[in-house]
Amino acid sequence: MEGEYVVFQIGNVEIKNRVVVAPMAGISNSAFRLTVKEFGAGLVCCEMISDKGIAYRNTKTLDMLYIDEKEKPLSLQIFGGEKDTLVEAAKFVAENTTADIIDINMGCPVNKIIKCEAGAKWLLDPNKVYEMVSAVVDAVDKPVTVKMRIGWDDDHIFAIENAQAAERAGAAAVAMHGRTRVQMYEGNADWDVLRDVKKEIKIPFMANGDVKTPEDAKRILEHTNADGVMIGRAALGNPWMIYRTVKYLETGELLPEPEPREKIETALLHLKRLIALKGENIAVREFRQHAAYYLKGARGSTRAKVAANQATTQAEMEMILRDFVDQYEAKQLVR
């Protein structure tokens, strides 16, 4: 029936709707996750965390494990190329955090991860997928999931084999991005491959790639028959994408885009949370990219983006964003 979407489960973890926010490196910390969670995400995912960083108890790495209970259910993603350290990291996460799900990254395409025999490097070897995932599943009591791409390049698309290997190894769910490693984030995501994978596995499947609007989310779910849709870059500076998608999938109603003032108020809340998490000095610099996303598409925002990219204090960032929205609204009144 139109508009009737069922909740799905990952292991014993119930996901209240079909909208999942993807793990994004340098983005998906607690401040970001809590913000998209408040906009209705069924599941939020932590940015990928190094198994060796956890194994060596690196302070910066351990700080990334912080979880606010209001984010839950939460999936915490680890990456690595060696079985022993990956298992050790998974055990540490299971025993020392309140993460509901442990996710293994086998999709990251960047060279420094590939050189560690991690991320998308696994896509070339379904046997390694089975070996690594089964070792983690055996070591922890929490549901273990994997996030992968469809393949390494056009000549090495082992999407079905890799997903089946993860399933045989005991993975509780698979999320898949419809691009190859070689594509990086260019070209188009191949939803046909995602559809074919879904047909061949029984565990929950989340489809990812080229979901830029609520309508895209509905299309990818219908095309692939996936249990959930994973949204990544479209949520940057735009948690309304999550709220609007949840509503559209559940009711068929397409809610309007937010006005700039609403965007800026949410941006400032996000900034405040980031400062509480990382301290003003680091947080304001990290927030520069978020400010650009929150301002994206707003008429006359170029000057504000340039200024925000040079801000070094909370007061400065707040003044830039508030001044922009005040001037924007003043111009609207004149029109």
Side-chain angles (χ1 to χ4, degrees):
M1 185 174 136
E2 184 72 17
E4 196 171 278
Y5 290 87
V6 297
V7 173
F8 68 102
Q9 280 195 205
I10 296 176
N12 60 352
V13 181
E14 189 171 285
I15 314 300
K16 72 174 184 177
N17 61 54
R18 301 176 80 183
V19 180
V20 179
V21 180
M24 292 176 279
I27 299 288
S28 303
N29 51 48
S30 180
F32 173 82
R33 298 191 309 260
L34 190 54
T35 303
V36 291
K37 186 72 177 183
E38 288 176 347
F39 278 82
L43 177 68
V44 294
C45 304
C46 176
E47 61 188 312
M48 65 178 188
I49 298 176
S50 162
D51 62 345
K52 285 190 164 57
I54 294 172
Y56 300 150
R57 305 296 189 262
N58 176 279
T59 303
K60 189 175 177 183
T61 303
L62 296 182
D63 285 346
M64 294 169 74
L65 298 175
Y66 174 77
I67 297 167
D68 186 309
E69 290 302 296
K70 294 191 288 292
E71 300 172 41
K72 291 161 66 69
L74 174 131
S75 170
L76 193 147
Q77 187 182 77
I78 56 176
F79 74 91
E82 296 171 20
K83 193 196 308 182
D84 290 348
T85 45
L86 195 70
V87 166
E88 185 182 342
K91 282 181 172 177
F92 186 89
V93 169
E95 293 164 9
N96 296 279
T97 80
T98 59
D100 302 282
I101 296 162
I102 296 173
D103 186 65
I104 302 172
N105 180 300
M106 46 181 288
C108 181
V110 302
N111 283 328
K112 71 175 182 179
I113 305 299
I114 301 296
K115 285 175 183 172
C116 300
E117 298 294 315
K121 191 64 183 286
W122 293 21
L123 299 170
L124 290 164
D125 187 358
N127 291 325
K128 178 164 185 176
V129 174
Y130 177 82
E131 180 188 357
M132 300 287 269
V133 174
S134 61
V136 174
V137 169
D138 289 346
V140 299
D141 291 331
K142 297 190 178 191
V144 175
T145 60
V146 296
K147 181 169 191 286
M148 60 176 79
R149 286 175 173 244
I150 59 172
W152 181 263
D153 57 24
D154 287 345
D155 296 323
H156 299 87
I157 293 180
F158 305 144
I160 292 172
E161 296 92 329
N162 286 331
Q164 288 176 329
E167 181 176 43
R168 280 199 317 277
V174 170
M176 190 175 286
H177 182 107
R179 287 181 174 82
T180 63
R181 185 265 167 169
V182 167
Q183 275 183 281
M184 300 294 280
Y185 298 97
E186 303 299 319
N188 297 318
D190 191 331
W191 292 2
D192 289 347
V193 174
L194 301 182
R195 176 196 61 203
D196 295 344
V197 171
K198 169 59 182 171
K199 287 177 185 173
E200 300 298 329
I201 59 173
K202 295 182 175 65
I203 54 176
F205 180 73
M206 290 161 277
N208 176 228
D210 289 347
V211 179
K212 299 169 185 173
T213 66
E215 297 98 320
D216 290 339
K218 186 175 184 192
R219 278 195 293 271
I220 198 172
L221 286 169
E222 290 176 345
H223 188 87
T224 65
N225 199 32
D227 301 276
V229 55
M230 185 173 269
I231 296 171
R233 288 172 291 169
L236 294 176
N238 187 19
W240 296 269
M241 169 62 181
I242 305 304
Y243 179 72
R244 294 173 71 235
T245 299
V246 171
K247 289 293 179 188
Y248 185 66
L249 294 179
E250 289 178 350
T251 69
E253 181 187 4
L254 191 59
L255 298 172
E257 295 272 10
E259 290 296 323
R261 182 164 295 278
E262 189 182 350
K263 281 194 161 192
I264 296 308
E265 292 303 326
T266 299
L268 294 174
L269 175 61
H270 185 169
L271 171 61
K272 188 176 175 183
R273 286 175 171 156
L274 199 54
I275 289 168
L277 190 67
K278 300 195 173 192
E280 184 176 15
N281 190 38
I282 293 171
V284 172
R285 283 169 170 78
E286 276 195 16
F287 191 76
R288 289 169 178 172
Q289 62 175 326
H290 292 287
Y293 282 116
Y294 279 107
L295 289 164
K296 187 177 177 182
R299 187 193 296 262
S301 62
T302 304
R303 190 176 295 174
K305 285 179 192 170
V306 171
N309 202 39
Q310 296 167 341
T312 56
T313 67
Q314 180 179 7
E316 198 178 354
M317 185 67 80
E318 286 188 355
M319 185 180 72
I320 291 162
L321 294 177
R322 290 195 185 283
D323 281 355
F324 162 73
V325 79
D326 287 345
Q327 290 170 22
Y328 175 89
E329 289 180 349
K331 287 175 185 171
Q332 294 302 107
L333 284 173
V334 170
R335 285 197 179 97

